Amino acid sequence: MGSLRLVDISKRFDRVEALKDVDLEIYDGEYAVVLGPTGAGKTTLLRIIAGLLRQDNGEVYINEVQVDDLPPEERGVALFFQNFALFPHMTVLDNVAFSLRVKGLSLEESERKAMDILRMVHLDHRAYSYPRELSGGMQQRVALARTIAAGVDILLLDEPLSQLDAKIKSEIQYELRDLAKSLGLTVLHVTNDVEEALAVADRIAILNKGEIVQVGTPVEIMENPKTAFVASFIAEMNLMEGVVEESSENRVVVDIGGGFKVESSRNGFKKGELVIVGVKPSSFKIGGDGKNGLTGKVEDWVFSFGFRRVTVQLDNGSRVSVKTERKDIERGSSISLTVDPRDVYLFPYLKGGLRTVLAEVSGVF
Amino acid sequence: MVALAVLVLLPTVFLASFPIVYFDEVRYEVFENPLVGDENLRMIISVLLFSFKLSISAVIIDLVLGIPLAFLLARGRFPGKTLLETLVTLPLVIPTSGFGFASLLTWTTVSGIGGWLGLGRGILETSATIPGTGIPILMLIVHVSLTLPYVVRTLQAKLVELNPVYEDASRTLGATSLTTFRKILLPQILPAVFSGSVLAFARSLGETGATMVVSGVRITAAIAVVRWEFEFKLGAAAFLGLILVLITWLIILPVELLLTGKQGIIKPPPLIYKTGLEKVFLKLESKLSKRGLRNLLYVVCIFAVAILVVIPVIVVGESVVAYWYADPYTGKREGGVVYQLLGPPNYLPAILRATAISFTSAFVSTYISVFLSIPLAYIIERYRFGRVLRAILKIPLVVPSSALGLSTLLMWGPKFMGLITPGIWLIILTHIVFSVPVIVETIIAVYEGSDIKLYEDAARTLGANPYYTAEKISLPVLKEGIITGAILSFTHSLGETGATMIVMGSDIPISALVVNMVESLAIPAALFTSTYLIFISMALIFVFRLATRRK
Ligand SMILES: Nc1ncnc2c1ncn2[C@@H]1O[C@H](COP(=O)(O)OP(=O)(O)O)[C@@H](O)[C@H]1O
Ligand SMILES: [Mg+2]
């Protein structure tokens, strides 16, 4: 059994409001991911759940029992630390066996079990090394093994895959999920890597500046981002500012400057309102004469798995990124783009405009 | 290196060579005295045994009190932390004889605790001993007060440098706070525990000023050295000094060589599993790891500091007030503080001059010592012969300070090199001899087991030259150790009496002035001067601490 419920958690450090009224529920056996840029408050959240940090406000329930007055060792959650925190004076094996030994298992038994777990992360051959003798990726796997060895139902993983190289990472992230599922664990995994989150999560909660801005399955969030921040952060949408010119039941026309008007089949915005327009890089079509024609110049392009990512400087001055399989793209050439109104997203305007959103996404405040 | 050799090592070696050079004299006095035979030798043995018993007991109590205090100061956040820190350091500042005097008043007279409790007498006899051990309680109390700062400060510096994330990790893996302490913290801080204990042990072994005041009839080795010196039994004095050094080495060296591993981390043997003790420990730890109990422990430790340090200070302060205008018992104005300071004895100008001398010499000697200690600590850590160097550096700590003073005087002074006559410069030179080892120890305590070598290598590969690396990378990380060492050495320098009196000539610093006052029976003036010194030093440490506090 392992369910986790956070009610109205707030935490303030001297100047920073690290968490604001965070409500989150994680179900038994679920693999949940909290996704947010650096500095969003992810580590703080996990430390509060683990009992290493006391929240200013709000309650933590584990299996529906309020645990706020319990010390970390009695909460029944295991925390994977962002920088591993492997005990430097112990071998890999001793690190992994630590939680078993403090429970009173004998030397032999704890060693046998720790060895089994090390085998799961393919590090049994380094059991007698010291952490400092291992690479970052290996240390990360040891830390993972140590967390699993704690034998609790709830794992809190703070960026557990950040040190792995791309290839191993995509392999290990599925292994990690399978492992958690096969052991029936409830996992709260935090990361700033969107692809990783999309790959492993049953459900994602997006954290921005200490606030949860959206919770949903990967598909829900990809298809229906609620704010410009989520759109840019998750779906890598192109964002543009504009003013609503016409608004009716299923049609909104937004003036994005430079004489360009884009039509969207979403609504909920009034005429004259400032909005942020979002378009996924893959939603643009090059050439053609559909609706929503935009023109510009190809600034640059780069290869990405099987397609090209083209940066276009639009004639109204804004810059968009376009994903295409076409090969006849040349730097400096003129280009015209169209986009289906159904693929044009609209988001409420934020104080500070687009620049604030983009800064938040990159984690720079 | 040369400066180091000349300033620190030479006087030390000079002292050690003394008994060999004067071996005839030694043999005559110690082994084949025509009058008493080997009486002196037996005396030496019994005195040594007593000294070791006393110092080891003091260190054990230091550890019991010092580990929780260091933890509280390093990890805790509470109002009054800087104050507690200052209080722990305080016994170093007070001239040791003054502190001994204050403790004597506090424990054995009606002016102290006994009077407060309305007993009409002191609560202790000077000669009272711990039953079954023969250790005088008062002496032990004084030694614990004087050596506790070394343990607390060394450990605190180490703990501050140690990343608390390991403790966090251990807790989330199911270990209680005491189990975490035993399995995670202790192995990492053991080198610092060791350094602190050695400093404390050495200091206790060599302590003279306070011990003389409270000793009653029992004699420690350090006191014996000083007595023999005054009786011009130089050979015997030097011989005992040498034995003191050798025995200390015999204790320190093996531990240092065998126990501290490559990373300054000590791996415990799996013995406690074999004997099944582990389970007992775990059970006990989980019972005792209650927050309330832990706070109780802290309170007990703070209370101990209060009794050891604060009350003697208050007693002295109270006496100053009582003696302000006149002697409260005889009513004579001549026995009052005001009369002695401003009246015909006119101590005030002497006090002011002494203040200037004390602070100048403490500041200059600490400053120079810091600069000598940093490269020295580096050499000790980086080279194989470093361990030997480190062991040699312990000598100035164990040798009774007056013997050390004598040796610097003999070496630099008119009799041997004739370079420097007694005075402030010789005070500074002498203080450097025992300041350097203290600072080196505290730096090493932080250095060992830290990641500094890694940072240094990183900086080097980033194109920084070794000097730049040391300045920008190592020094900031070692800051805690350096600050701690500087505070310990500065305060020690202010309070040092034994060596200072031998080398001061006519530049009388405040610690020696207090002794002079006591000797000329100007007790009120002595009380006032001690109080005055205590408050100035407290203010100074306080300001220094605030100025260097971590952001
Ligand atoms: N102990 C602390 N003291 C002060 N500020 C802190 C502390 N821990 C975290 N913060 C601040 O809180 C915010 C959230 O930090 P953190 O939870 O570490 O973010 P994340 O893990 O998402 O990168 C950051 O702005 C950080 O600077
Ligand atoms: Mg983090």
Side-chain angles (χ1 to χ4, degrees), chain A residues 47 73 86 89 99 101 104, chain B residues 166 168 171 183 273 279:
Chain A
R47 289 176 64 82
E73 68 268 22
L86 293 174
H89 59 295
S99 59
R101 289 183 189 158
Chain B
Y166 302 120
D168 288 348
R171 296 295 295 279
K183 299 188 104 152
Y273 279 100
K279 278 201 176 124

Side-chain angles (χ1 to χ4, degrees), chain A residues 97-138:
Chain A
F98 182 83
S99 59
L100 301 165
R101 289 183 189 158
V102 300
K103 262 187 239 138
L105 260 64
S106 73
L107 214 51
E108 297 75 27
E109 199 179 350
S110 59
E111 244 167 60
R112 196 172 42 73
K113 289 196 170 169
M115 216 46 167
D116 288 343
I117 295 168
L118 274 176
R119 226 166 272 131
M120 289 201 285
V121 295
H122 314 296
L123 271 175
D124 43 322
H125 61 294
R126 297 306 296 270
Y128 299 99
S129 304
Y130 280 89
R132 69 184 110 78
E133 299 161 1
L134 304 182
S135 71
M138 286 174 169

